[in-house]
Amino acid sequence: MTSGGTDMEGTVKIPRLEIQLTQQEAQICEVLDTVSRRYEEKENKKVQLRIAGGWVRDKLLGLTCHDLDIAIDTMMGYDFAVLVNNFLETQGQEKRSIARIATNPEKSKHLETATMIVLGKPLDFVNLQDAYRRDFTINTLFYNVHTRSVEDFTGKGLDDLKNGLVRTPLEPYETFWQDPLRVMRCIRFAARFHFKVDQAAKLAILNTRIKQALMTKISKERIGGELDKMIEDGVGRSTAIRLLRDLDLYDVVFAPPKVDDTPKGTTAIEGKVRDPEDAFKLVWIIEWLLKINPPAHQNDDLEGRIFQAEIDLGQETLLSQTRGTPFTSHLYSVIRTIPPSAIAHIASKEEPFPEKLTTRNLILTGMLYPYRDMSATVNKKSMSAGAWILRFGLKGKNNDIDIMTKLMESLDVVHRTVHGLAQSPAMDEVAIQEERTIMGMAIRDIGYGSILGKKWPSAFLLGLALDLIPRFEQLQNGVLDNETRAQIA
């Protein structure tokens, strides 16, 4: 499939709506089709298999997708997974374990799922769900394993994919009420693909009952999981923040501290929340700064992507003026480093590389910036509101909490150090040594040591982004004047 793009009005253009299977995917489809036919011959019962949802959507967009959900029309997922396992064993394959995940209506999981590895790829087997009961039309598309063709049962999925629209197959209020987490997924898909959110869906999300349902029916871990996907996807993070703000959900996802009056609980809150618009501006600027000097071996925003959605013209204009220049390049040799084996005791294999960790925590800190002036007292100890939100509101990792807290605390140190030295530049050897001492003290205070402990480059980039917020409007329009260049320098 050739690369996608956008026309002058920003509508997503997809050259050919067809799916091209990899060799591995073709082999999996062949196995599934064979098992289905053998079952029909033996039991005289027909069973149809379709790959559902996200894989179909991403393949049509030319994106890499590793998750395959196999929908079965006349059989439970676990039962068919057993048949697949037995067939593979007859072909000399090692027998695999099958994980059975039960339904959990309280957490909006309404279908039993069976998971197993088939030809080296994880597959989820589930009973076929009515396309109209799925979350969004772009996820209602199916790929028929037997006919090797795309099926659009709602008649809307392919058109919405072409037109870049996120909408629900049924009435949106009912769709979001059934599973309020779909509100977060709506924002994530719109941000990831730079699609528009259907107006009826927006109105449903703004309904106070849907907002309340998201807060009460959905666990903090699941909300945090969707937020993680927004951050780690690599595109549209600032768009996600803007949508959260516009849809009145910023204080739902980043719910502020609350007093609970228990002896070891939250007993006091001090300070005020800044405008969430600051979070959008800060994350947008951070995204631009991180793109100026992408690592040679990896581009977080383009890895594995053939299709490119609508671009941010302001950022692209800025990048055309700054990419390949020495702007902030002195920080990147530290931030973007592949970890040597010597740090295995510091970060497990599941943890991201330092460059991923840096990007993640810069974005996370930017998202929480509106809480910079707020603190909470927990068990008689004061902690930042951002740390409280990550720990108690989103059930975040200790690593994220520690780094975010340090970055937020370091903003004053960075501002004082940079602006102090800029106003009184060193003119002789003695002054240069004093300057180096001041900078060294600042770096030591922020954090220097192991690769995962080198927080000072992140703190300086964050401080720079914060200083540029007053210039956001011109930056968003792609204007980089001499005064702004001097400020960055």
Side-chain angles (χ1 to χ4, degrees):
M1 179 173 177
T2 57
S3 175
T6 60
D7 61 20
M8 295 301 292
E9 296 179 351
T11 301
V12 178
K13 294 194 301 184
I14 304 171
R16 297 193 304 272
L17 281 175
E18 63 180 41
I19 285 180
Q20 294 185 355
L21 302 177
T22 65
Q23 182 178 1
Q24 182 187 35
E25 291 166 343
Q27 290 172 345
I28 290 172
C29 286
E30 186 62 35
V31 166
L32 297 177
D33 183 44
T34 300
V35 173
S36 173
R37 284 189 286 103
R38 290 193 175 193
Y39 174 79
E40 183 179 352
E41 291 169 359
K42 181 179 179 181
E43 303 292 338
N44 197 27
K45 296 179 182 178
K46 196 173 185 63
V47 59
Q48 288 279 310
L49 305 175
R50 295 172 174 88
I51 304 177
W55 180 88
V56 185
R57 176 200 66 224
D58 287 356
K59 291 292 285 189
L60 287 171
L61 294 177
L63 302 175
T64 302
C65 185
H66 302 289
D67 299 325
L68 269 75
D69 296 334
I70 310 302
I72 310 151
D73 64 349
T74 58
M75 187 182 295
M76 297 300 293
Y78 182 83
D79 295 334
F80 191 82
V82 171
L83 295 179
V84 173
N85 217 354
N86 292 339
F87 169 75
L88 290 175
E89 194 174 13
T90 66
Q91 304 301 304
Q93 299 280 337
E94 180 182 352
K95 194 161 189 174
R96 295 283 186 172
S97 61
I98 304 173
R100 195 172 195 164
I101 305 171
T103 61
N104 190 344
E106 291 185 0
K107 292 189 176 182
S108 299
K109 178 172 176 51
H110 302 286
L111 295 173
E112 180 185 277
T113 305
T115 300
M116 67 177 291
I117 303 295
V118 176
L119 301 182
K121 204 172 188 69
L123 269 61
D124 286 347
F125 294 91
V126 65
N127 189 242
L128 180 65
Q129 181 188 31
D130 180 0
Y132 285 92
R133 309 306 299 180
R134 297 181 71 87
D135 52 7
F136 308 108
T137 56
I138 58 174
N139 296 333
T140 62
L141 300 169
F142 292 90
Y143 181 76
N144 191 304
V145 169
H146 314 290
T147 63
R148 304 292 173 93
S149 62
V150 175
E151 298 171 339
D152 184 2
F153 293 121
T154 69
K156 302 173 183 176
L158 291 173
D159 284 342
D160 288 349
L161 206 59
K162 291 177 184 177
N163 298 323
L165 184 66
V166 181
R167 63 169 165 167
T168 59
L170 296 176
E171 197 277 323
Y173 179 90
E174 181 63 27
T175 299
F176 293 133
W177 182 255
Q178 288 178 357
D179 183 358
L181 191 67
R182 288 170 171 173
V183 169
M184 292 290 289
R185 288 169 58 81
C186 177
I187 292 170
R188 177 161 63 87
F189 291 135
R192 180 188 180 195
F193 301 121
H194 294 278
F195 282 5
K196 292 181 175 65
V197 178
D198 174 60
Q199 186 61 26
K202 284 185 178 180
L203 292 175
I205 293 171
L206 287 167
N207 186 294
T208 54
R209 292 192 66 199
I210 296 298
K211 181 177 179 178
Q212 187 66 23
L214 181 60
M215 290 189 289
T216 57
K217 289 181 65 177
I218 304 301
S219 69
K220 296 176 175 64
E221 290 87 349
R222 294 185 73 202
I223 292 176
E226 284 296 318
L227 180 66
D228 283 342
K229 292 175 183 177
M230 291 180 191
I231 294 173
E232 294 169 2
D233 185 59
V235 291
R237 297 143 171 157
S238 58
T239 303
I241 287 293
R242 169 57 69 83
L243 285 169
L244 287 173
R245 180 184 183 276
D246 291 348
L247 295 172
D248 197 27
L249 291 172
Y250 181 85
D251 64 346
V252 174
V253 177
F254 303 105
K258 292 182 179 179
V259 173
D260 58 25
D261 291 328
T262 58
K264 293 187 177 182
T266 304
T267 56
I269 299 167
E270 296 181 359
K272 295 182 179 180
V273 183
R274 301 184 184 213
D275 188 344
E277 181 73 3
D278 286 347
F280 163 69
K281 293 177 180 178
L282 190 56
V283 172
W284 190 94
I285 295 170
I286 290 170
E287 287 178 330
W288 163 49
L289 294 174
L290 288 172
K291 291 175 182 175
I292 293 176
N293 300 88
H297 68 282
Q298 177 187 7
N299 186 315
D300 292 343
D301 290 328
L302 300 178
E303 184 183 13
R305 298 179 187 276
I306 301 171
F307 168 81
Q308 289 301 302
E310 180 182 356
I311 62 173
D312 187 312
L313 294 178
Q315 276 194 6
E316 287 299 312
T317 303
L318 291 178
L319 288 171
S320 69
Q321 301 173 67
T322 55
R323 183 161 278 168
T325 70
F327 276 17
T328 68
S329 61
H330 56 294
L331 301 176
Y332 283 82
S333 60
V334 180
I335 289 178
R336 302 195 180 269
T337 307
I338 297 178
S341 58
I343 71 158
H345 64 287
I346 298 174
S348 67
K349 292 181 180 179
E350 288 73 30
E351 291 290 339
F353 283 175
E355 62 192 56
K356 292 271 192 182
L357 192 67
T358 295
T359 297
R360 171 183 172 78
N361 284 286
L362 274 172
I363 298 295
L364 195 56
T365 305
M367 289 178 166
L368 288 164
Y369 177 74
Y371 289 101
R372 181 188 178 188
D373 301 327
M374 180 180 281
S375 63
T377 301
V378 181
N379 195 17
K380 299 181 179 180
K381 295 181 180 179
S382 179
M383 66 190 305
S384 70
W388 191 99
I389 291 166
L390 286 181
R391 186 177 301 281
F392 302 110
L394 293 169
K395 304 297 183 182
K397 297 179 181 178
N398 289 335
N399 204 22
D400 286 341
I401 296 168
D402 294 342
I403 295 177
M404 185 283 303
T405 299
K406 192 61 179 181
L407 290 180
M408 204 78 84
E409 290 175 348
S410 300
L411 286 172
D412 289 336
V413 175
V414 170
H415 190 273
R416 185 169 60 250
T417 303
V418 172
H419 289 270
L421 297 177
Q423 290 172 3
S424 304
M427 303 300 292
D428 54 51
E429 189 61 34
V430 174
I432 291 173
Q433 289 302 317
E434 290 178 353
E435 189 177 77
R436 290 179 63 83
T437 300
I438 292 171
M439 288 189 289
M441 293 288 286
I443 288 173
R444 187 182 69 177
D445 181 66
I446 295 169
Y448 190 87
S450 68
I451 288 180
L452 291 181
K454 291 180 179 177
K455 305 178 187 73
W456 69 268
S458 301
F460 274 75
L461 276 175
L462 184 65
L464 171 58
L466 185 60
D467 275 2
L468 292 174
I469 283 183
R471 303 175 185 273
F472 174 76
E473 280 69 25
Q474 69 183 56
L475 291 173
Q476 192 179 34
N477 290 322
V479 177
L480 190 65
D481 57 21
N482 289 333
E483 189 175 354
T484 305
R485 288 176 177 271
Q487 185 175 11
I488 294 172

